[in-house]
Amino acid sequence: MKLTRLLIAVTLLSRLSLQAQDTGTSAAPAPAPAAAPTGRNWTYGGVQVSGMVDAYYSLNFNHPATDRTDLHFFDVYANRVDLNMAKIGLDYGPNPVGFHLDAGFGEGFNAFHSFDPNRDLSGFHHIPQAYVSWKPKSGRGLEIDGGKFYTSAGAEVTESQLNWNYSRSLLFALGPFYHVGVRASMPITKSFTGGVQFVNGWNDLVDNNTGKTFGLNGTWTVGKVAWANSYYAGPEKTDTNKGWRHFYDTVVTIAESKTVTSYVNFDYGVDRNIGGGSNLFYGIATATRVALGNKFAISPRVEWYNDHDGFATGTPQKLKEFTFTGEYKIHDGIVSRLEFRRDWSDQPFFHRGNDEFVKNQTTVLVGLMAFFGPKQ
């Protein structure tokens, strides 16, 4: 029954995507580093409407009794068909006031909010983004957003079709997902856009202390190269403003040609202990997307991560992963992916069978995504 409902949902959204294409409007480019097509525009009364359904089947060769694949976001569940997420988005561009709202359901939203300590606010977990925007006409491009929004850090984003690989990297999975607060951005020069943020912290709808986290972000774009940087600093421990967490993320994206694009992503984090000492976590990932005509693409990804003190995963360990993703564009707004992934650790960390822990994990995944509207 669950599989039947899932297939019906994918079919219905696929039809909506095909109908939207008949309007004759053109698709806006997807945000970097995304390369998947984003369907056609639907606009009503100035409000741009977007939607997506994302489903997958993942085979975990460890066959864990937990039915969960360790360190995978958002392909969490193993050896079964699952609905990652179904989402509708509404966007009204600020002129000078606007808003953005995303709402939906699926196991991906549970993973997205899995680190949030506010379990009593679970109803809000169906809303990954909700913010108002102000862009004064005399502000030279200044835009201020207030509410809940995706993090500025990372080379990947929440929606599967906007990434090169279906599974998320370790750097994405073990970093911030979202923030609640205020952010401002502004083009400083033709090649640089900067921003500041004042937020509750990481992945919490309601702050767990009285302190606030400050963020700085900026992106340089010169020719075929884009260099994005994000830095967050603030107290993240419950009921105390001592022991700050510092996190730096940088991404260099290079468009080598019309068909080949690559990125390198580096993260470094330190969480200070109240009584002295600190927890370190850092890693690097690189990926390339190669378009093979209009229908096919391949995307290998390699990654190394050092959870030096076990802060991110609960176990002090060094991790590696290799992912190879093949993509086939069925139609504008309908994309399928076949993905192989291998994870390694220097510690017996990954579940296998009923009660065994091993140093590696291998998965094969098939994903299907249907979507319309470019705004995410």
Side-chain angles (χ1 to χ4, degrees):
M1 182 64 68
K2 183 176 181 180
L3 177 59
T4 301
R5 293 197 300 267
L6 180 60
L7 292 175
I8 291 174
V10 173
T11 302
L12 287 175
L13 191 55
S14 299
R15 291 179 177 176
L16 287 174
S17 177
L18 294 174
Q19 291 171 4
Q21 293 161 32
D22 292 337
T23 62
T25 56
S26 59
T38 54
R40 300 295 183 178
N41 294 328
W42 273 17
T43 304
Y44 297 96
V47 178
Q48 189 176 70
V49 183
S50 62
M52 53 91 73
V53 171
D54 175 8
Y56 69 92
Y57 171 78
S58 177
L59 172 62
N60 187 325
F61 288 91
N62 284 353
H63 300 287
T66 60
D67 292 329
R68 298 175 70 91
T69 300
D70 297 309
L71 299 182
H72 280 221
F73 289 77
F74 295 99
D75 52 323
V76 179
Y77 286 97
N79 303 331
R80 78 185 204 190
V81 176
D82 212 344
L83 175 66
N84 178 24
M85 63 176 64
K87 180 174 74 71
I88 292 292
L90 303 176
D91 186 83
Y92 186 81
N95 187 27
V97 179
F99 69 89
H100 185 88
L101 172 66
D102 290 325
F105 59 91
E107 297 295 347
F109 287 146
N110 294 331
F112 186 75
H113 295 96
S114 58
F115 300 107
D116 195 325
N118 302 293
R119 301 298 181 184
D120 55 334
L121 298 174
S122 59
F124 289 94
H125 292 174
H126 295 285
I127 304 175
Q129 289 195 109
Y131 57 86
V132 295
S133 302
W134 179 54
K135 191 173 185 178
K137 294 182 179 180
S138 58
R140 298 183 179 180
L142 171 68
E143 182 173 332
I144 300 175
D145 303 323
K148 180 183 180 183
F149 39 79
Y150 294 155
T151 186
S152 298
E156 298 173 326
V157 294
T158 303
E159 292 79 6
S160 298
Q161 76 273 10
L162 297 180
N163 296 305
W164 297 346
N165 305 101
Y166 187 92
S167 66
R168 305 305 186 273
S169 65
L170 296 172
L171 268 61
F172 179 91
L174 301 176
F177 292 163
Y178 64 89
H179 309 279
V180 176
V182 179
R183 66 182 180 185
S185 63
M186 181 177 179
I188 308 301
T189 68
K190 292 182 178 180
S191 60
F192 176 72
T193 297
V196 296
Q197 301 184 18
F198 183 74
V199 297
N200 285 344
W202 285 25
N203 305 335
D204 47 4
L205 291 168
V206 177
D207 211 345
N208 58 353
N209 54 46
T210 59
K212 290 293 175 282
T213 291
F214 300 90
L216 296 173
N217 57 279
T219 300
W220 283 270
T221 303
V222 180
K224 298 180 179 181
V225 179
W227 182 25
N229 294 270
S230 296
Y231 172 72
Y232 290 97
E236 299 292 339
K237 294 178 175 59
T238 301
D239 297 329
T240 179
N241 294 335
K242 297 180 180 180
W244 275 38
R245 183 183 305 168
H246 300 264
F247 180 75
Y248 171 66
D249 170 271
T250 183
V251 183
V252 177
T253 304
I254 304 174
E256 291 96 329
S257 67
K258 292 182 179 180
T259 59
V260 180
T261 307
S262 301
Y263 74 75
V264 178
N265 184 193
F266 174 76
D267 283 357
Y268 182 87
V270 54
D271 190 81
R272 306 292 185 188
N273 297 323
I274 296 177
S278 59
N279 300 296
L280 298 178
F281 50 101
Y282 49 92
I284 187 169
T286 182
T288 297
R289 176 183 170 88
V290 181
L292 306 175
N294 296 325
K295 294 286 187 179
F296 294 93
I298 56 173
S299 301
R301 181 182 66 205
V302 180
E303 190 171 14
W304 177 87
Y305 192 93
N306 187 355
D307 190 9
H308 187 272
D309 303 287
F311 173 79
T313 65
T315 300
Q317 61 181 318
K318 294 179 181 178
L319 295 159
K320 296 179 291 184
E321 68 95 356
F322 169 74
T323 301
F324 189 88
T325 307
E327 177 180 291
Y328 175 65
K329 176 183 173 183
I330 300 173
H331 200 283
D332 284 346
I334 308 175
V335 170
S336 62
R337 287 183 182 153
L338 176 63
E339 180 169 286
F340 169 86
R341 175 165 168 170
R342 176 81 167 178
D343 292 84
W344 297 269
S345 173
D346 62 351
Q347 301 295 323
F349 177 80
F350 300 101
H351 288 81
R352 183 167 71 181
N354 291 323
D355 54 7
E356 186 179 2
F357 289 89
V358 295
K359 293 184 177 182
N360 54 70
Q361 175 180 258
T362 302
T363 58
V364 173
L365 177 145
V366 178
L368 178 63
M369 298 149 283
F371 43 90
F372 66 90
K375 192 68 177 182
Q376 300 294 335

